[in-house]
């Protein structure tokens, strides 16, 4: 994957394509594709399809960061889909540690253990709709 990114960056540099954040008038037309990619990144982190650990916290954190970034870039025109996706990711991420045993194996649904930070994380996802983003 890293090599693909290096090759893609080289092609972009060679083609002279500038990096610019699109204006808000163009963002709306691209939002569905952007949210889909963010959702796919989160899903891969939440339940990795290959290699290593079942949960990749780095991917979950990056998807949440990108979801917050999209909301901040959209400003007052943030569609409900962006807010909903961020809330969904925060809610699922709040239960991340309760889904796994100490060895990193998946716990069957309904038998997960409570996590001491759950109430805090649940409040985080609940405040997304109000526009506030606790750390």
């Amino acid at each position: 994957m890293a090599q693909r990114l290096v090759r893609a960056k080289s092609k972009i540099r060679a083609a002279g394509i500038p990096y610019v954040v699109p204006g808000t008038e163009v963002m709306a037309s691209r939002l569905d594709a952007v949210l889909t990619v963010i959702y796919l990144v989160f899903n891969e982190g939440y339940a990795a399809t290959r290699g290593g650990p079942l949960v990749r916290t780095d991917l979950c954190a990056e998807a949440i960061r990108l979801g917050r970034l999209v909301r901040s870039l959209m400003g007052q025109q943030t569609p409900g889909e962006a807010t909903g996706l961020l809330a969904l990711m925060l809610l699922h991420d709040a239960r991340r540690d309760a889904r796994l045993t100490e060895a990193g194996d998946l716990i069957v649904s309904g038998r997960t253990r409570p996590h001491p930070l759950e109430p805090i994380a649940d409040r985080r996802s609940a405040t997304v709709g109000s526009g506030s983003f606790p750390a």
Side-chain angles (χ1 to χ4, degrees):
M1 179 58 106
Q3 190 58 36
R4 285 183 182 176
L5 290 174
V6 169
R7 283 193 302 263
K9 287 179 182 179
S10 295
K11 285 181 182 179
I12 289 170
R13 200 175 307 114
I17 301 171
Y19 173 76
V20 292
V21 175
T24 55
E25 67 282 350
V26 180
M27 282 187 191
S29 65
R30 299 178 181 183
L31 186 63
D32 285 342
V34 170
L35 293 179
T36 298
V37 170
I38 291 172
Y39 180 66
L40 290 172
V41 170
F42 184 82
N43 276 341
E44 182 61 27
Y46 190 72
T49 55
R50 51 175 100 157
L54 176 65
V55 176
R56 301 243 343 246
T57 57
D58 59 329
L59 291 178
C60 291
E62 182 63 10
I64 290 169
R65 185 190 73 78
L66 290 171
R68 287 183 167 135
L69 179 62
V70 166
R71 288 196 74 235
S72 69
L73 289 173
M74 296 293 290
Q76 296 297 323
Q77 301 172 3
T78 303
E81 292 89 349
T83 301
L85 177 60
L86 181 56
L88 178 71
M89 292 187 301
L90 288 170
L91 183 64
H92 282 290
D93 195 55
R95 297 284 301 147
R96 177 184 62 223
D97 292 337
R99 295 178 53 226
L100 304 172
T101 65
E102 296 298 324
D105 297 323
L106 185 64
I107 297 174
V108 178
S109 182
R111 295 187 178 168
T112 58
R113 61 192 191 285
H115 188 273
L117 297 179
E118 248 177 68
I120 295 168
D122 286 341
R123 282 195 304 274
R124 283 183 185 165
S125 59
T127 60
V128 170
S130 68
S132 62
F133 290 94

